[in-house]
Amino acid sequence: MMMLNSLLVLAAAMFALAKTPNGFQPASNSDLMVFYNNTAALNGIAVAKLVTTSEPQIGTVARLTGKTYAVLMIDLDIPTNSSKTNTLLHWMQTDLTPATTASRFTAANGSVSVFLLENRGNTSAFAPYIGPNPPARIPLSHRYTQILVDTTNLTSQGASELQTAAATRIGFTASTVLAQAGLSGKVVAGNSYNVTNPWPVQAATGATNANTSTSTTKTGATNTASFVPGASSTFASEAGGSLRYESFALVAALGVMVLIV
Ligand SMILES: *[C@@H]1O[C@H](CO)[C@@H](O)[C@H](O)[C@H]1NC(C)=O
Ligand SMILES: *[C@@H]1O[C@H](CO)[C@@H](O)[C@H](O)[C@H]1NC(C)=O
Ligand SMILES: *[C@@H]1O[C@H](CO)[C@@H](O)[C@H](O)[C@H]1NC(C)=O
Ligand SMILES: *[C@@H]1O[C@H](CO)[C@@H](O)[C@H](O)[C@H]1NC(C)=O
Ligand SMILES: *[C@@H]1O[C@H](CO)[C@@H](O)[C@H](O)[C@H]1NC(C)=O
Ligand SMILES: *[C@@H]1O[C@H](CO)[C@@H](O)[C@H](O)[C@H]1NC(C)=O
Ligand SMILES: *[C@@H]1O[C@H](CO)[C@@H](O)[C@H](O)[C@H]1NC(C)=O
């Protein structure tokens, strides 16, 4: 029993080494600490969507010595019409600087001291934060991955490459963008957590036979209302701006109704 426990602890410790998900590039084995209003969103755990609506506080356990940093957050599990998934940039904020004093947070393993990365100059985000909102499609659970990049030596041309790339959120490929900006090898920390769409639960309590012809219009409409927020956020993000939010939400709503009715 003791032996099994130690093995489990060891396995947990080994699992915790993967800060960015398997296969994600550029990978990092250093912890980026991510907290949403004191809720730790670390090490691949599933976090409630409600907690993640506003941008998190991020930091590191050891104080970083670079001048400036950028954080990128990417959804790795955007559903498409093919068997492959796509990516979506949720956040790109540059000009972050390490705090001089540590703040205390509560993580799964206890209280931790974290040097937050702060946007002291109030620099506008190249891609303003969009909270996770996975639609009711496979995969229901999405990995939201954050990487912290040392931008101390970023040139103005590099900054402009980042800004241009951030304008297209869908299909965002971090390794390509960082290479274009002259930031290959500058990732200093990473993290990932999941947010899951509760579609199966809703289907079980609502229209269990959602795709049979016996479904009433009312059932379809009720379901549409509860599913669309997930779909609309993704579509709004794909549109790259809030101007087209409404029309995309409508298209998404119609799409869901067609699926249900
Ligand atoms: C964050 O926590 C504070 C204090 O507990 C609370 O008042 C506030 O509503 C929380 N904000 C969010 C977005 O959960
Ligand atoms: C996916 O398929 C749906 C239904 O056939 C279609 O309306 C939609 O435009 C397709 N999306 C893409 C990105 O091709
Ligand atoms: C607690 O967990 C965080 C995040 O995984 C890690 O960075 C930190 O080193 C851990 N602290 C201890 C005391 O194990
Ligand atoms: C940044 O914004 C905060 C809050 O709005 C404000 O207190 C602070 O003075 C601003 N800093 C700069 C450098 O503009
Ligand atoms: C996170 O999402 C990925 C991709 O859908 C999935 O493989 C993994 O099991 C999920 N993990 C958790 C803890 O939900
Ligand atoms: C920035 O440039 C200086 C001087 O060339 C170098 O010593 C340092 O390692 C560089 N830092 C990063 C993060 O690229
Ligand atoms: C919906 O349709 C699919 C494909 O026709 C079928 O596999 C599935 O069992 C149906 N689901 C329900 C709840 O009827």
Side-chain angles (χ1 to χ4, degrees):
M1 198 57 190
M2 284 285 281
M3 174 105 156
L4 181 61
N5 281 344
S6 343
L7 281 175
L8 287 176
V9 168
L10 184 65
M14 284 169 72
F15 178 72
L17 279 178
K19 310 308 181 190
T20 45
N22 277 345
F24 177 82
Q25 286 298 329
S28 176
N29 273 336
S30 297
D31 266 318
L32 178 65
M33 307 299 281
V34 176
F35 297 94
Y36 284 94
N37 211 16
N38 233 341
T39 298
L42 304 169
N43 297 328
I45 62 159
V47 177
K49 183 180 107 175
L50 203 62
V51 164
T52 61
T53 50
S54 307
E55 65 186 54
Q57 289 178 290
I58 60 164
T60 54
V61 169
R63 189 171 183 273
L64 296 169
T65 54
K67 220 172 80 189
T68 61
Y69 294 85
V71 65
L72 278 65
M73 173 164 146
I74 303 142
D75 181 345
L76 308 184
D77 299 297
I78 297 290
T80 65
N81 283 352
S82 79
S83 57
K84 290 178 76 178
T85 53
N86 206 349
T87 57
L88 184 83
L89 178 69
H90 272 253
W91 191 28
M92 188 195 287
Q93 174 70 59
T94 57
D95 274 334
L96 299 172
T97 50
T100 47
T101 57
S103 307
R104 292 208 75 83
F105 287 89
T106 308
N109 59 0
S111 177
V112 279
S113 265
V114 174
F115 290 91
L116 291 175
L117 287 144
E118 300 171 331
N119 179 10
R120 283 193 216 117
N122 297 336
T123 303
S124 300
F126 282 169
Y129 182 83
I130 296 175
N133 206 348
R137 290 183 63 184
I138 304 293
L140 292 167
S141 199
H142 290 209
R143 293 162 298 166
Y144 296 89
T145 298
Q146 301 84 38
I147 50 174
L148 187 71
V149 188
D150 189 329
T151 50
T152 302
N153 294 339
L154 182 66
T155 60
S156 56
Q157 197 200 329
S160 129
E161 293 281 356
L162 284 184
Q163 186 163 23
T164 304
T168 308
R169 294 185 185 244
I170 192 78
F172 190 89
T173 308
S175 51
T176 307
V177 171
L178 293 181
Q180 282 163 354
L183 292 170
S184 287
K186 303 298 181 195
V187 172
V188 295
N191 178 61
S192 192
Y193 68 83
N194 278 35
V195 173
T196 304
N197 184 296
W199 153 279
V201 175
Q202 290 178 3
T205 55
T208 34
N209 275 323
N211 55 357
T212 65
S213 53
T214 54
S215 281
T216 62
T217 309
K218 190 167 184 297
T219 309
T222 309
N223 277 338
T224 302
S226 51
F227 297 152
V228 163
S232 61
S233 158
T234 304
F235 278 83
S237 325
E238 285 180 36
S242 53
L243 266 180
R244 287 152 74 184
Y245 183 97
E246 292 300 334
S247 53
F248 272 86
L250 184 62
V251 169
L254 290 173
V256 171
M257 284 177 77
V258 165
L259 282 176
I260 286 168
V261 173

